[in-house]
Structure formats: structure tokens, C-alpha cells
Amino acid sequence: MAYNPTAIKLPDASAFERKITGRQTNLYVLQNNAGMQVAITNFGGYLVGALVPDKKGKLTSVIIGFDNIEGLLKQESYYGATIGRYGNRIADGKFTLEGKEYRLFVNNGPNSLHGGKYNFSYRVWEANQIDAKTVTLEYLSEDMEEGYPGNLKVKITYQLTDDNAITITYEATTDKTTIVNLTNHAYFNLNGEGNEDILNHVMQIAADNYTPVNNTMIPTGKIEPVKGTPFDFTNPERIGKRIKADNEQLKFGNGYDHNFVLNKRGAHSPAATVTGDKSGIKLEVYTDQPGMQFYTGNFMPGTNILRGGVKDKMCTAFAMETQHFPDSPNQPHFPSTVLKPGEIYKTQTTYKFSV
Ligand code: BGC
């Protein structure tokens, strides 16, 4: 299929105006001076879509998703969702904190994934659109919600800048010692949604190491070099080049679904850089987090109809979830995800687009 930079519109706001658990949901649209647009809903803190100019200046829809909230309600692949209280898996759905064992909802094989049954992506957040480029979402996750201790007050700020970057700032405080690991699960297709898969996108990840997993996708605890493996993206490489390689880790994940240990963190050196082969649109990810889950949509069911009328087949899009390592609460040598009363959890990730 030829490259078709269809300026698929952002969905109509009315398609996200519902009452869910008695609370109002809406769509919030951010727009910058360069014409980029981003849509966010306070249902689940979903990043619903983003339109950025391609090399001909045509707006291209780079975050895949649905035309209406009903699409979000019936899927389980977290299209653009806010993930919490704990991003990725916790082994056997349990962890021990200050000598006490906590049990979580097991929703992924033997493990707990992305915060459990009614995780943050099911909650209606309190939204406040500050200006044309900024919206905040707030949510109080009560003590023992989904099995996690402590009343956790969470605030997320989505900001669109005039240089076509989406910055997401996560803040949280607790009244009891707890664990927290927040991220966003946007799926990108830089050729524009509806333009086939992402296997020819060119990816670079600033990670010399990754955390291999067992057959239930829990890190083995080892931090292994990527050198000489299909996980080496230290130089730009096509996503699809080695995805079918004879490699146990790729078999466990059915493709890439692994935490990369980022070499550097911060606002000046990208954790990852990806370019759409047809559009030329480049996405740089900046983060202060120690890890990034690179996921090639391997478990997308192929049964959901996305905007643009395409099915959500495997590798339709990819996610780059900046976060702490999976199962950190059970792996004391991984960077800690513990948050104590009086401490402030604050982290920032930027997705910057350019051509
Ligand atoms: C996980 C995948 C999972 C996907 C959607 C990713 O963060 O690592 O295994 O299928 O989220 O839930």
C-alpha cells in the first residue's frame, strides 16, 4: 500500500462525553502554534490521538486509537492509557513491604499486570485544562485499592510545546509506604495510523543492557548486555530486521516486549529515537526513568477496529513505556519503586516529533 498521509481528524469531543461511574468524561484537545494537536480524555488518562506535520506539512495521525470512548471500553491493550499504580508485571501478584505481604489482582498468567483489574486506566480523573497547550488530570487512589497500600494522590500534566513535543509529568504523594510506577501506553505508528505495520520503522535505543524475562514475562533478575543480540538498538536498525530471529527472549515475548536499561537519563539525550520509513517523521523520547519497555504490539488481538478503519493486528504500532523495571518490588537490586509519606514522586517523559 502506498504511503497515505491521511489527515485523519482527531475524534469528535462528543464521542467521549459520557457518564462513567456517575462521573463526567470529556475529551481535551491541546493545540500549539505549529498546528500540532493532541487529544486526551479524563477517562483512564488516555492519550487518544496526536496529529503532527509530515515532511510535506500534512498532518499525520501518529498515535493509534479509537473514534469514541466505546472503543476504549472494550479493549484490553491499553491504547494510550495511563498505567498505574504499577506499570508492567509483578510476579505472582504479590510483594512485601516493611515486613507485610500485599496481594494484587492476578490478570496476566500468574502475574499482576499494569495495576490490576480496575487499574488507573479504568478511573475517571478530575481534569483541568489550564490553557490551549496544557491539561492536568488528578486522581486519588484509595488505600488498598487493587491491593496497594496508602492513599496515593496522583497528578499528571500533559503539555504540548511549540516544538511539537508532548511532555507528561507525573506527580504523586502517599500517606503510607507504597510502591508506584506510572507510565503511558501510547502506541505509535509514525507513518500514520492506517499505514500498515511498524516493522520498517528505524529504531535506536540508548541502552547497552536489558532485563531478560522468564516464560511468564517476569525479569529473571539479570541485567544483560544487548551486544550481539536482537536487542542491540544502540545503532539505528529496522524494528523488523531481527524480530523473528531464533532467540528465546523474542519467543517469550512473541516479539519485542522487554525492558531496556537506559544508559543516560534526562532532557538532553534521547532514550530512544524512531523514524517512520514512509513519513520521515522522527520521534525522540526523553525521560528521567531508568527503564523503557519497548513493545511491538505482539499481543494485539486483531479484533478491534481502530481509527482509519484498520484492525489492531500484531505490530500495527509500538509502545515505548518509560518506567522503572518490571517486578522491581520483588527484585531488591533493581532501582526502588517505594514511595514513603513525605516524599514526592515526580517524573517526566517527553515525546518529541520532527521531520
Ligand atoms: C506489556 C505487554 C502487554 C501490553 C498490553 C505491555 O506493557 O509488556 O506484555 O501485552 O503492555 O497490556
Side-chain angles (χ1 to χ4, degrees), residues 46-158:
Y46 277 80
L47 206 44
V48 170
L51 306 182
V52 298
D54 73 357
K55 52 194 169 199
K56 293 188 182 137
K58 271 207 168 174
L59 285 180
T60 306
S61 178
V62 291
I63 292 180
I64 69 164
F66 297 92
D67 279 325
N68 50 46
I69 207 164
E70 285 68 32
L72 292 181
L73 287 167
K74 66 171 198 243
Q75 55 78 38
E76 288 183 351
S77 298
Y78 297 91
Y79 295 87
T82 289
I83 305 287
R85 191 177 293 200
Y86 195 91
N88 215 278
R89 293 173 178 80
I90 294 184
D92 300 326
K94 57 183 187 189
F95 64 96
T96 300
L97 205 53
E98 297 179 332
K100 189 165 176 224
E101 187 180 276
Y102 293 92
R103 292 203 168 248
L104 308 170
F105 187 77
V106 167
N107 57 352
N108 188 263
N111 307 315
S112 183
L113 175 66
H114 293 334
K117 191 171 189 182
Y118 296 112
N119 56 58
F120 287 7
S121 74
Y122 290 91
R123 307 288 173 169
V124 179
W125 297 60
E126 193 67 43
N128 186 10
Q129 180 141 17
I130 312 279
D131 57 35
K133 292 185 277 192
T134 318
V135 66
T136 62
L137 299 183
E138 291 181 66
Y139 176 65
L140 172 66
S141 169
E142 289 183 2
D143 187 24
M144 295 313 288
E145 180 185 290
E146 288 297 324
Y148 293 92
N151 288 295
L152 188 78
K153 271 193 195 168
V154 187
K155 180 176 177 184
I156 306 181
T157 305
Y158 298 83

Side-chain angles (χ1 to χ4, degrees), residues 1-68:
M1 187 167 61
Y3 169 50
N4 173 26
T6 39
I8 295 169
K9 288 194 319 221
L10 289 178
D12 287 336
S14 61
F16 286 81
E17 290 164 2
R18 303 284 185 271
K19 277 260 180 342
I20 294 180
T21 56
R23 304 188 59 198
Q24 183 66 39
T25 64
N26 287 304
L27 192 72
Y28 299 87
V29 176
L30 309 181
Q31 175 142 17
N32 69 7
N33 295 335
M36 179 170 168
Q37 297 167 36
V38 176
I40 291 139
T41 176
N42 63 322
F43 171 69
Y46 277 80
L47 206 44
V48 170
L51 306 182
V52 298
D54 73 357
K55 52 194 169 199
K56 293 188 182 137
K58 271 207 168 174
L59 285 180
T60 306
S61 178
V62 291
I63 292 180
I64 69 164
F66 297 92
D67 279 325
N68 50 46

